[in-house]
Amino acid sequence: MQNGFSQTDRQSALITEGNQGIGRVITRELVKTHAVIATTRGDCEAGNLNDNTHAEIVRCDIALREDREALISELRSRRRRIHLLVNCTGMAPCAGPDLLEASEESFDSLLHANVVGPHFLSQALACWMSEQGGGRIAFMTFVPGYEARINLSNHCISTAGLSMSRALYARRLAAKGIHVFEIRASDMPSDVVASSELGSEEQSSDDPLCLRRGPTPTDVVKAVSAIANGELDFLTGQVLHINARSRLPHL
């Protein structure tokens, strides 16, 4: 793990995979109000957030225990408090082998990236937040992971596991003043992955209640900002549905 944290009096936010995809968009917004540390599994310079964002990019694969431990140790040595964790880490849902053909190796790799890493990083941050008397944790998930799609079998299982992690942490931490949320987008925002990879279903062209626009990065960022600023603390434990493409119920 490579690091280089600076001292700051602003509230601190840790965003996993914060220099690419939806994590990058979230980072660009949160630097306006928070001191942001953004992790990346790749080169710290890749997808570099330009200098005026003032975000700190740290190379850290949170699926690896030694990387998580080094990250937390460095954070604790440089900062008195951590106020927010946004779990954006995870392999994007994309078509893979059939359920009957998926390998144990691919399953294990995806579980570590999508569940083990975020779960145990949240555990470490939750313990720290408990000591300081409060904090906020958000998990980012996507609806395709909740649908029984046989060509997304590994991702479906990992997404369900991450959602359960959110539910358990929310229940365990509520009395400690730590607010836990899940932001569940109805599809991967368009700048992160092509909708065609997710096998989007046809929607009726004659149904005026059928919303056609997929969720944009801005939709997700608004939810994260509301969590970061404490506006949604009263909804702790809830799933925030960013369902721009879903159908409104018929009356």
Short mmCIF file of all heavy atoms in Angstrom, two decimals, residues 21-75:
data_model
loop_
_atom_site.label_atom_id
_atom_site.label_comp_id
_atom_site.label_asym_id
_atom_site.label_seq_id
_atom_site.Cartn_x
_atom_site.Cartn_y
_atom_site.Cartn_z
N GLY A 21 -14.64 5.40 -12.08
CA GLY A 21 -16.06 5.05 -12.10
C GLY A 21 -16.91 5.96 -11.24
O GLY A 21 -16.65 7.16 -11.11
N ILE A 22 -17.92 5.39 -10.61
CA ILE A 22 -18.82 6.18 -9.77
C ILE A 22 -18.10 6.71 -8.54
O ILE A 22 -18.42 7.78 -8.03
CB ILE A 22 -20.06 5.34 -9.37
CG1 ILE A 22 -21.12 6.23 -8.74
CG2 ILE A 22 -19.66 4.19 -8.45
CD1 ILE A 22 -21.65 7.33 -9.66
N GLY A 23 -17.06 5.99 -8.07
CA GLY A 23 -16.30 6.47 -6.93
C GLY A 23 -15.60 7.79 -7.23
O GLY A 23 -15.51 8.67 -6.37
N ARG A 24 -15.13 7.94 -8.45
CA ARG A 24 -14.47 9.18 -8.86
C ARG A 24 -15.46 10.35 -8.85
O ARG A 24 -15.13 11.45 -8.40
CB ARG A 24 -13.90 8.99 -10.26
CG ARG A 24 -13.25 10.22 -10.87
CD ARG A 24 -12.77 9.90 -12.29
NE ARG A 24 -12.29 11.10 -12.95
CZ ARG A 24 -11.08 11.22 -13.48
NH1 ARG A 24 -10.22 10.22 -13.39
NH2 ARG A 24 -10.71 12.32 -14.09
N VAL A 25 -16.67 10.11 -9.32
CA VAL A 25 -17.69 11.17 -9.33
C VAL A 25 -18.04 11.57 -7.90
O VAL A 25 -18.19 12.76 -7.59
CB VAL A 25 -18.95 10.69 -10.09
CG1 VAL A 25 -19.98 11.81 -10.15
CG2 VAL A 25 -18.60 10.22 -11.49
N ILE A 26 -18.16 10.58 -7.02
CA ILE A 26 -18.47 10.87 -5.61
C ILE A 26 -17.34 11.65 -4.97
O ILE A 26 -17.57 12.62 -4.23
CB ILE A 26 -18.73 9.55 -4.86
CG1 ILE A 26 -20.02 8.90 -5.36
CG2 ILE A 26 -18.79 9.79 -3.36
CD1 ILE A 26 -20.25 7.49 -4.84
N THR A 27 -16.10 11.26 -5.26
CA THR A 27 -14.95 11.97 -4.71
C THR A 27 -14.94 13.43 -5.11
O THR A 27 -14.71 14.33 -4.29
CB THR A 27 -13.64 11.30 -5.17
OG1 THR A 27 -13.57 9.97 -4.64
CG2 THR A 27 -12.43 12.08 -4.71
N ARG A 28 -15.20 13.70 -6.39
CA ARG A 28 -15.18 15.08 -6.88
C ARG A 28 -16.22 15.95 -6.15
O ARG A 28 -16.00 17.15 -5.98
CB ARG A 28 -15.46 15.10 -8.39
CG ARG A 28 -14.28 14.63 -9.23
CD ARG A 28 -14.56 14.81 -10.71
NE ARG A 28 -13.42 14.42 -11.52
CZ ARG A 28 -12.38 15.20 -11.78
NH1 ARG A 28 -12.33 16.41 -11.25
NH2 ARG A 28 -11.39 14.78 -12.54
N GLU A 29 -17.31 15.35 -5.73
CA GLU A 29 -18.34 16.11 -5.02
C GLU A 29 -17.98 16.28 -3.54
O GLU A 29 -18.11 17.37 -2.98
CB GLU A 29 -19.69 15.41 -5.15
CG GLU A 29 -20.84 16.12 -4.43
CD GLU A 29 -21.15 17.49 -4.99
OE1 GLU A 29 -20.82 17.75 -6.17
OE2 GLU A 29 -21.71 18.32 -4.25
N LEU A 30 -17.53 15.21 -2.90
CA LEU A 30 -17.30 15.26 -1.46
C LEU A 30 -16.10 16.11 -1.06
O LEU A 30 -16.02 16.57 0.08
CB LEU A 30 -17.15 13.85 -0.89
CG LEU A 30 -18.44 13.04 -0.74
CD1 LEU A 30 -18.16 11.75 0.03
CD2 LEU A 30 -19.53 13.83 -0.04
N VAL A 31 -15.15 16.32 -1.98
CA VAL A 31 -14.01 17.17 -1.63
C VAL A 31 -14.44 18.60 -1.35
O VAL A 31 -13.69 19.38 -0.75
CB VAL A 31 -12.92 17.17 -2.73
CG1 VAL A 31 -12.26 15.82 -2.83
CG2 VAL A 31 -13.49 17.61 -4.07
N LYS A 32 -15.65 18.96 -1.75
CA LYS A 32 -16.16 20.31 -1.49
C LYS A 32 -16.45 20.51 -0.01
O LYS A 32 -16.44 21.63 0.49
CB LYS A 32 -17.43 20.57 -2.30
CG LYS A 32 -17.23 20.47 -3.80
CD LYS A 32 -18.56 20.60 -4.53
CE LYS A 32 -18.39 20.44 -6.03
NZ LYS A 32 -19.71 20.49 -6.75
N THR A 33 -16.74 19.40 0.70
CA THR A 33 -17.13 19.51 2.11
C THR A 33 -16.29 18.67 3.05
O THR A 33 -16.34 18.88 4.27
CB THR A 33 -18.60 19.07 2.28
OG1 THR A 33 -18.76 17.74 1.73
CG2 THR A 33 -19.54 20.02 1.54
N HIS A 34 -15.51 17.71 2.52
CA HIS A 34 -14.77 16.79 3.36
C HIS A 34 -13.31 16.69 2.91
O HIS A 34 -12.98 17.03 1.77
CB HIS A 34 -15.38 15.38 3.30
CG HIS A 34 -16.71 15.27 3.98
ND1 HIS A 34 -17.85 15.89 3.50
CD2 HIS A 34 -17.08 14.58 5.10
CE1 HIS A 34 -18.87 15.60 4.30
NE2 HIS A 34 -18.43 14.83 5.26
N ALA A 35 -12.47 16.22 3.81
CA ALA A 35 -11.11 15.83 3.46
C ALA A 35 -11.20 14.38 2.99
O ALA A 35 -11.45 13.47 3.79
CB ALA A 35 -10.20 15.95 4.67
N VAL A 36 -11.00 14.15 1.70
CA VAL A 36 -11.28 12.84 1.10
C VAL A 36 -10.00 12.05 0.88
O VAL A 36 -9.02 12.56 0.31
CB VAL A 36 -12.03 13.00 -0.24
CG1 VAL A 36 -12.20 11.66 -0.93
CG2 VAL A 36 -13.39 13.67 -0.01
N ILE A 37 -10.04 10.79 1.32
CA ILE A 37 -9.00 9.82 0.98
C ILE A 37 -9.67 8.80 0.06
O ILE A 37 -10.68 8.20 0.42
CB ILE A 37 -8.45 9.10 2.22
CG1 ILE A 37 -7.98 10.11 3.26
CG2 ILE A 37 -7.32 8.14 1.83
CD1 ILE A 37 -8.96 10.38 4.36
N ALA A 38 -9.14 8.63 -1.12
CA ALA A 38 -9.72 7.72 -2.10
C ALA A 38 -8.75 6.58 -2.37
O ALA A 38 -7.59 6.82 -2.74
CB ALA A 38 -10.03 8.47 -3.41
N THR A 39 -9.20 5.35 -2.18
CA THR A 39 -8.33 4.21 -2.45
C THR A 39 -8.44 3.77 -3.91
O THR A 39 -9.43 4.04 -4.59
CB THR A 39 -8.67 3.00 -1.55
OG1 THR A 39 -9.91 2.41 -1.98
CG2 THR A 39 -8.76 3.40 -0.09
N THR A 40 -7.42 3.08 -4.38
CA THR A 40 -7.43 2.49 -5.71
C THR A 40 -6.63 1.21 -5.69
O THR A 40 -5.62 1.11 -4.99
CB THR A 40 -6.85 3.44 -6.76
OG1 THR A 40 -6.82 2.78 -8.03
CG2 THR A 40 -5.45 3.89 -6.40
N ARG A 41 -7.10 0.21 -6.43
CA ARG A 41 -6.34 -1.04 -6.52
C ARG A 41 -5.22 -0.94 -7.54
O ARG A 41 -4.31 -1.77 -7.56
CB ARG A 41 -7.27 -2.20 -6.92
CG ARG A 41 -8.16 -2.67 -5.79
CD ARG A 41 -9.16 -3.71 -6.29
NE ARG A 41 -10.14 -3.10 -7.18
CZ ARG A 41 -11.17 -3.76 -7.71
NH1 ARG A 41 -11.31 -5.05 -7.46
NH2 ARG A 41 -12.03 -3.15 -8.50
N GLY A 42 -5.31 0.05 -8.42
CA GLY A 42 -4.32 0.20 -9.47
C GLY A 42 -3.31 1.28 -9.18
O GLY A 42 -3.08 1.66 -8.02
N ASP A 43 -2.71 1.82 -10.23
CA ASP A 43 -1.73 2.88 -10.12
C ASP A 43 -2.39 4.13 -9.57
O ASP A 43 -3.45 4.54 -10.01
CB ASP A 43 -1.15 3.17 -11.52
CG ASP A 43 0.05 4.10 -11.46
OD1 ASP A 43 0.16 4.87 -10.48
OD2 ASP A 43 0.86 4.06 -12.40
N CYS A 44 -1.76 4.76 -8.60
CA CYS A 44 -2.32 5.97 -8.00
C CYS A 44 -2.50 7.09 -9.00
O CYS A 44 -3.31 7.98 -8.82
CB CYS A 44 -1.42 6.45 -6.85
SG CYS A 44 -1.41 5.37 -5.42
N GLU A 45 -1.70 7.04 -10.09
CA GLU A 45 -1.80 8.08 -11.09
C GLU A 45 -2.87 7.80 -12.13
O GLU A 45 -3.28 8.68 -12.87
CB GLU A 45 -0.45 8.25 -11.81
CG GLU A 45 0.69 8.64 -10.88
CD GLU A 45 0.40 9.95 -10.17
OE1 GLU A 45 -0.15 10.87 -10.83
OE2 GLU A 45 0.71 10.06 -8.98
N ALA A 46 -3.34 6.56 -12.18
CA ALA A 46 -4.34 6.20 -13.20
C ALA A 46 -5.66 6.89 -12.90
O ALA A 46 -6.14 6.88 -11.78
CB ALA A 46 -4.53 4.68 -13.21
N GLY A 47 -6.24 7.50 -13.91
CA GLY A 47 -7.50 8.21 -13.71
C GLY A 47 -7.35 9.33 -12.71
O GLY A 47 -8.25 9.60 -11.92
N ASN A 48 -6.18 9.96 -12.70
CA ASN A 48 -5.86 10.94 -11.67
C ASN A 48 -6.90 12.05 -11.57
O ASN A 48 -7.33 12.62 -12.56
CB ASN A 48 -4.49 11.56 -11.97
CG ASN A 48 -3.98 12.43 -10.85
OD1 ASN A 48 -4.36 12.22 -9.70
ND2 ASN A 48 -3.14 13.37 -11.17
N LEU A 49 -7.33 12.32 -10.35
CA LEU A 49 -8.22 13.44 -10.08
C LEU A 49 -7.34 14.68 -10.08
O LEU A 49 -6.40 14.76 -9.32
CB LEU A 49 -8.89 13.25 -8.72
CG LEU A 49 -9.83 12.06 -8.64
CD1 LEU A 49 -9.92 11.56 -7.21
CD2 LEU A 49 -11.20 12.44 -9.13
N ASN A 50 -7.64 15.65 -10.90
CA ASN A 50 -6.72 16.77 -11.05
C ASN A 50 -6.44 17.47 -9.73
O ASN A 50 -7.17 17.33 -8.76
CB ASN A 50 -7.22 17.76 -12.11
CG ASN A 50 -8.60 18.28 -11.78
OD1 ASN A 50 -8.87 18.66 -10.66
ND2 ASN A 50 -9.48 18.29 -12.78
N ASP A 51 -5.37 18.22 -9.70
CA ASP A 51 -4.84 18.77 -8.45
C ASP A 51 -5.83 19.60 -7.67
O ASP A 51 -5.78 19.64 -6.44
CB ASP A 51 -3.59 19.61 -8.75
CG ASP A 51 -2.44 18.76 -9.26
OD1 ASP A 51 -2.48 17.54 -9.02
OD2 ASP A 51 -1.54 19.32 -9.90
N ASN A 52 -6.76 20.28 -8.35
CA ASN A 52 -7.64 21.18 -7.62
C ASN A 52 -8.73 20.46 -6.83
O ASN A 52 -9.53 21.10 -6.16
CB ASN A 52 -8.27 22.23 -8.56
CG ASN A 52 -9.14 21.61 -9.64
OD1 ASN A 52 -9.54 20.46 -9.52
ND2 ASN A 52 -9.42 22.37 -10.68
N THR A 53 -8.79 19.13 -6.89
CA THR A 53 -9.76 18.42 -6.07
C THR A 53 -9.27 18.27 -4.64
O THR A 53 -10.06 18.10 -3.72
CB THR A 53 -10.04 17.02 -6.63
OG1 THR A 53 -8.84 16.25 -6.56
CG2 THR A 53 -10.55 17.08 -8.04
N HIS A 54 -7.96 18.26 -4.43
CA HIS A 54 -7.36 18.10 -3.11
C HIS A 54 -7.69 16.75 -2.47
O HIS A 54 -7.63 16.62 -1.24
CB HIS A 54 -7.79 19.24 -2.16
CG HIS A 54 -7.49 20.59 -2.70
ND1 HIS A 54 -6.20 21.05 -2.92
CD2 HIS A 54 -8.31 21.59 -3.09
CE1 HIS A 54 -6.25 22.28 -3.40
NE2 HIS A 54 -7.51 22.63 -3.53
N ALA A 55 -8.06 15.76 -3.26
CA ALA A 55 -8.28 14.41 -2.74
C ALA A 55 -6.96 13.67 -2.69
O ALA A 55 -6.09 13.87 -3.53
CB ALA A 55 -9.28 13.66 -3.62
N GLU A 56 -6.79 12.83 -1.68
CA GLU A 56 -5.59 12.03 -1.55
C GLU A 56 -5.86 10.64 -2.10
O GLU A 56 -6.77 9.95 -1.64
CB GLU A 56 -5.17 11.96 -0.09
CG GLU A 56 -4.85 13.31 0.52
CD GLU A 56 -4.46 13.19 1.98
OE1 GLU A 56 -3.49 12.47 2.27
OE2 GLU A 56 -5.13 13.81 2.81
N ILE A 57 -5.09 10.23 -3.09
CA ILE A 57 -5.25 8.93 -3.71
C ILE A 57 -4.26 7.95 -3.09
O ILE A 57 -3.06 8.22 -3.05
CB ILE A 57 -5.04 8.99 -5.23
CG1 ILE A 57 -5.89 10.11 -5.84
CG2 ILE A 57 -5.37 7.65 -5.87
CD1 ILE A 57 -7.37 9.96 -5.62
N VAL A 58 -4.77 6.83 -2.59
CA VAL A 58 -3.94 5.86 -1.89
C VAL A 58 -4.09 4.50 -2.55
O VAL A 58 -5.21 4.02 -2.75
CB VAL A 58 -4.37 5.75 -0.40
CG1 VAL A 58 -3.50 4.73 0.32
CG2 VAL A 58 -4.31 7.10 0.28
N ARG A 59 -2.96 3.89 -2.90
CA ARG A 59 -3.03 2.56 -3.48
C ARG A 59 -3.28 1.54 -2.38
O ARG A 59 -2.47 1.38 -1.47
CB ARG A 59 -1.74 2.21 -4.22
CG ARG A 59 -1.82 0.91 -5.00
CD ARG A 59 -0.54 0.65 -5.79
NE ARG A 59 -0.67 -0.56 -6.60
CZ ARG A 59 -0.49 -1.79 -6.12
NH1 ARG A 59 -0.17 -1.95 -4.85
NH2 ARG A 59 -0.62 -2.83 -6.92
N CYS A 60 -4.42 0.86 -2.47
CA CYS A 60 -4.81 -0.11 -1.44
C CYS A 60 -5.86 -1.05 -2.01
O CYS A 60 -6.90 -0.61 -2.50
CB CYS A 60 -5.37 0.62 -0.21
SG CYS A 60 -6.04 -0.47 1.06
N ASP A 61 -5.58 -2.34 -1.97
CA ASP A 61 -6.56 -3.35 -2.38
C ASP A 61 -7.26 -3.83 -1.12
O ASP A 61 -6.70 -4.62 -0.35
CB ASP A 61 -5.85 -4.50 -3.09
CG ASP A 61 -6.84 -5.54 -3.63
OD1 ASP A 61 -8.04 -5.45 -3.31
OD2 ASP A 61 -6.41 -6.42 -4.39
N ILE A 62 -8.47 -3.36 -0.87
CA ILE A 62 -9.12 -3.68 0.40
C ILE A 62 -9.54 -5.15 0.49
O ILE A 62 -9.95 -5.60 1.56
CB ILE A 62 -10.32 -2.77 0.67
CG1 ILE A 62 -11.47 -3.07 -0.28
CG2 ILE A 62 -9.92 -1.31 0.64
CD1 ILE A 62 -12.79 -2.45 0.19
N ALA A 63 -9.45 -5.89 -0.60
CA ALA A 63 -9.71 -7.33 -0.55
C ALA A 63 -8.59 -8.06 0.19
O ALA A 63 -8.76 -9.19 0.63
CB ALA A 63 -9.87 -7.91 -1.95
N LEU A 64 -7.44 -7.38 0.35
CA LEU A 64 -6.29 -7.97 1.03
C LEU A 64 -6.21 -7.48 2.46
O LEU A 64 -6.18 -6.27 2.71
CB LEU A 64 -4.99 -7.61 0.29
CG LEU A 64 -4.92 -8.02 -1.18
CD1 LEU A 64 -3.61 -7.52 -1.79
CD2 LEU A 64 -5.03 -9.54 -1.32
N ARG A 65 -6.16 -8.39 3.40
CA ARG A 65 -6.16 -8.01 4.82
C ARG A 65 -4.98 -7.11 5.16
O ARG A 65 -5.13 -6.13 5.90
CB ARG A 65 -6.14 -9.27 5.70
CG ARG A 65 -6.12 -8.96 7.20
CD ARG A 65 -6.28 -10.21 8.02
NE ARG A 65 -5.20 -11.16 7.76
CZ ARG A 65 -5.15 -12.38 8.30
NH1 ARG A 65 -6.12 -12.79 9.10
NH2 ARG A 65 -4.12 -13.18 8.02
N GLU A 66 -3.79 -7.44 4.63
CA GLU A 66 -2.62 -6.63 4.97
C GLU A 66 -2.75 -5.20 4.47
O GLU A 66 -2.30 -4.24 5.12
CB GLU A 66 -1.34 -7.27 4.42
CG GLU A 66 -1.34 -7.51 2.92
CD GLU A 66 -1.87 -8.87 2.52
OE1 GLU A 66 -2.68 -9.44 3.28
OE2 GLU A 66 -1.47 -9.36 1.43
N ASP A 67 -3.40 -5.01 3.31
CA ASP A 67 -3.62 -3.65 2.79
C ASP A 67 -4.62 -2.90 3.66
O ASP A 67 -4.45 -1.71 3.95
CB ASP A 67 -4.12 -3.71 1.35
CG ASP A 67 -2.98 -3.74 0.34
OD1 ASP A 67 -1.87 -4.16 0.73
OD2 ASP A 67 -3.20 -3.36 -0.82
N ARG A 68 -5.68 -3.58 4.07
CA ARG A 68 -6.68 -2.92 4.94
C ARG A 68 -6.04 -2.50 6.26
O ARG A 68 -6.26 -1.39 6.74
CB ARG A 68 -7.86 -3.87 5.22
CG ARG A 68 -8.73 -4.18 4.03
CD ARG A 68 -10.04 -4.82 4.48
NE ARG A 68 -9.84 -6.01 5.28
CZ ARG A 68 -9.74 -7.24 4.78
NH1 ARG A 68 -9.80 -7.43 3.47
NH2 ARG A 68 -9.59 -8.29 5.59
N GLU A 69 -5.27 -3.40 6.84
CA GLU A 69 -4.65 -3.09 8.13
C GLU A 69 -3.67 -1.94 8.02
O GLU A 69 -3.62 -1.06 8.90
CB GLU A 69 -3.95 -4.34 8.68
CG GLU A 69 -4.93 -5.44 9.09
CD GLU A 69 -4.21 -6.71 9.55
OE1 GLU A 69 -2.98 -6.81 9.32
OE2 GLU A 69 -4.88 -7.58 10.13
N ALA A 70 -2.90 -1.90 6.93
CA ALA A 70 -1.95 -0.80 6.73
C ALA A 70 -2.68 0.52 6.53
O ALA A 70 -2.26 1.56 7.04
CB ALA A 70 -1.06 -1.10 5.53
N LEU A 71 -3.79 0.48 5.80
CA LEU A 71 -4.59 1.68 5.56
C LEU A 71 -5.13 2.25 6.86
O LEU A 71 -5.01 3.44 7.15
CB LEU A 71 -5.73 1.36 4.60
CG LEU A 71 -6.75 2.48 4.35
CD1 LEU A 71 -6.08 3.66 3.64
CD2 LEU A 71 -7.93 1.96 3.55
N ILE A 72 -5.74 1.38 7.68
CA ILE A 72 -6.32 1.83 8.94
C ILE A 72 -5.24 2.35 9.88
O ILE A 72 -5.41 3.37 10.56
CB ILE A 72 -7.11 0.69 9.61
CG1 ILE A 72 -8.28 0.27 8.73
CG2 ILE A 72 -7.62 1.13 10.98
CD1 ILE A 72 -9.26 1.36 8.41
N SER A 73 -4.11 1.66 9.93
CA SER A 73 -3.01 2.10 10.79
C SER A 73 -2.53 3.49 10.41
O SER A 73 -2.31 4.35 11.27
CB SER A 73 -1.86 1.10 10.70
OG SER A 73 -0.75 1.53 11.47
N GLU A 74 -2.38 3.72 9.10
CA GLU A 74 -1.92 5.03 8.64
C GLU A 74 -2.97 6.11 8.90
O GLU A 74 -2.64 7.22 9.33
CB GLU A 74 -1.58 4.96 7.15
CG GLU A 74 -1.00 6.25 6.58
CD GLU A 74 0.39 6.54 7.11
OE1 GLU A 74 1.03 5.62 7.67
OE2 GLU A 74 0.83 7.69 6.97
N LEU A 75 -4.22 5.77 8.66
CA LEU A 75 -5.30 6.73 8.93
C LEU A 75 -5.32 7.13 10.40
O LEU A 75 -5.43 8.31 10.74
CB LEU A 75 -6.65 6.14 8.54
CG LEU A 75 -7.05 6.20 7.07
CD1 LEU A 75 -8.29 5.35 6.82
CD2 LEU A 75 -7.31 7.63 6.64
#
